[in-house]
Amino acid sequence: MRAFFLTDHDTPARLSDVAIPEPAEGEIRLRIAACGLNFADLLMQKGTYQDTPALPFVLGMEVSGIVDATAPDVKGFAPGDRVAVFGGQGGLADYGCFSAARAVKLPDTMGWTDAAGFQIAYGTSHLALDHRARLQPGETLLVLGAAGGVGLTAVEIGKLMGARVVACARGADKLEAAKQAGADHLIDAETGDIRAEMKALGGADVVYDPVGGDQFTAAFRSCNPEGRLLSIGFASGDVPQIKANHLMVKNLSVMGLYWGGYLAFRPDVLTGSLAQLMAWHGEGRLKPHISHVLPLERAAEGMELLRSRKSTGKVVITVADL
């Protein structure tokens, strides 16, 4: 089978011919239809992601496809089932073996490309805003990196939860994508003054930050008393340093969110969140934004779209027309 294989962290991954894997205990094998790309895939290529697998491995964290085979001990899944899986690796290939515990069956209303780019982006934003920050109707939510894979979902979910949403992104095209996702106010990260513009809007109650760096600092300074700042990632490459005494002055809370980590210690929280999100999608209340759909042969091009920040929403790689 074809697989986008990484053999070392100094050489780009490349499409290779490898053997079709056999499912181990607790696993299902998928005939993969599509794979969503994530910023973490870029970090894995460099070996800097917190959950980078041991070399060599196949890139691709989240997939959709049809169950092709199951290990004898697997219950609840059978060949022919349509599923999505957050596997953490192995998605950019014709076939992949994944833990059945990480698989969710797809509703008939969800297509392969939506399913492949749904779990991480929507799951991250929903857990962050609902479970961690306890976002309330009428509060003001500031979303940094608002046109990215997770940023757009934060705009969409924040609006669905009843917040007033302020989207911060770079350039008119990305701001327009955020506006279409439901943003009430827009801030251009290239030309705007985040702190001043947020102060003019009455300040932020919740900040959703997948960017870090100077944008985090400006957003921090624009928070209202008892504001909550969600640290989602550091696309800028700059991890902010926080002075604890500054938290005290306004009674602020800074909290991290690593979506995949819930699989280890609170899987019920994660699966409950996904059930809610799948229901919203089925009701037509969530509309995934996928800016690029590319075939497996162009997976490297998809990675470059993420690296150069030329995409909005998700980039999805199609593997097979199932």
Side-chain angles (χ1 to χ4, degrees):
M1 70 171 190
R2 301 169 302 163
F4 196 59
F5 215 62
L6 186 72
T7 55
D8 70 77
H9 296 300
D10 296 319
T11 303
R14 62 186 180 87
L15 205 59
S16 307
D17 289 323
V18 300
I20 296 174
E22 293 296 327
E25 182 178 350
E27 289 186 338
I28 57 175
R29 184 173 69 197
L30 292 193
R31 178 74 171 94
I32 295 172
C35 178
L37 300 187
N38 293 275
F39 189 78
D41 290 307
L42 298 178
L43 300 179
M44 282 190 184
Q45 286 201 100
K46 296 188 295 184
T48 58
Y49 189 60
Q50 61 260 31
D51 279 343
T52 299
L55 292 167
F57 66 92
V58 177
L59 286 165
M61 299 178 70
E62 56 178 338
V63 300
S64 61
I66 292 176
V67 176
D68 169 74
T70 68
D73 64 319
V74 169
K75 309 296 182 186
F77 292 96
D81 286 344
R82 300 174 69 250
V83 302
V85 182
F86 168 68
Q89 61 172 304
L92 290 170
D94 290 315
Y95 293 86
C97 290
F98 308 98
S99 169
R102 294 189 172 203
V104 294
K105 292 182 181 179
L106 295 177
D108 293 338
T109 55
M110 185 173 285
W112 297 125
T113 53
D114 275 6
F118 190 84
Q119 290 187 90
I120 294 176
Y122 279 100
T124 294
S125 292
H126 186 247
L127 275 190
L129 296 175
D130 183 62
H131 180 69
R132 295 289 281 149
R134 307 293 184 186
L135 179 68
Q136 300 299 308
E139 289 190 313
T140 297
L141 167 66
L142 170 60
V143 180
L144 305 179
V150 293
L152 272 179
T153 63
V155 171
E156 193 175 6
I157 291 172
K159 191 65 178 175
L160 189 56
M161 293 177 67
R164 180 177 67 151
V165 180
V166 183
C168 181
R170 293 185 181 278
D173 290 346
K174 292 190 174 184
L175 288 171
E176 179 60 28
K179 181 179 179 181
Q180 293 300 317
D184 299 291
H185 302 278
L186 306 173
I187 298 175
D188 193 325
E190 290 183 328
T191 61
D193 183 326
I194 295 173
R195 184 191 183 198
E197 294 192 41
M198 284 306 303
K199 287 293 187 182
L201 290 170
D205 299 306
V206 176
V207 174
Y208 182 99
D209 177 25
V211 178
D214 292 341
Q215 290 190 39
F216 174 92
T217 302
F220 184 96
R221 298 174 69 190
S222 74
C223 279
N224 292 325
E226 293 193 329
R228 290 93 75 201
L229 294 93
L230 291 155
S231 185
I232 307 298
F234 313 105
S236 68
D238 183 355
V239 179
Q241 304 301 305
I242 303 162
K243 293 183 177 180
N245 61 314
H246 290 183
L247 298 174
M248 294 171 56
V249 175
K250 293 184 181 178
N251 294 289
L252 301 180
S253 299
V254 179
M255 53 194 76
L257 190 285
Y258 169 40
W259 181 79
Y262 278 85
L263 286 166
F265 70 95
R266 286 293 305 276
D268 59 307
V269 172
L270 190 147
T271 54
S273 170
L274 283 176
Q276 176 65 78
L277 291 166
M278 291 286 187
W280 280 342
H281 183 277
E283 294 165 2
R285 302 176 76 186
L286 296 177
K287 302 182 186 302
H289 179 88
I290 299 170
S291 65
H292 295 81
V293 179
L294 302 171
L296 183 59
E297 293 81 6
R298 297 171 64 186
E301 182 181 334
M303 294 289 191
E304 183 56 33
L305 286 168
L306 296 185
R307 184 180 294 107
S308 61
R309 298 191 176 94
K310 292 182 179 178
S311 61
T312 56
K314 292 291 287 191
V315 176
V316 173
I317 302 300
T318 55
V319 180
D321 185 14
L322 301 180

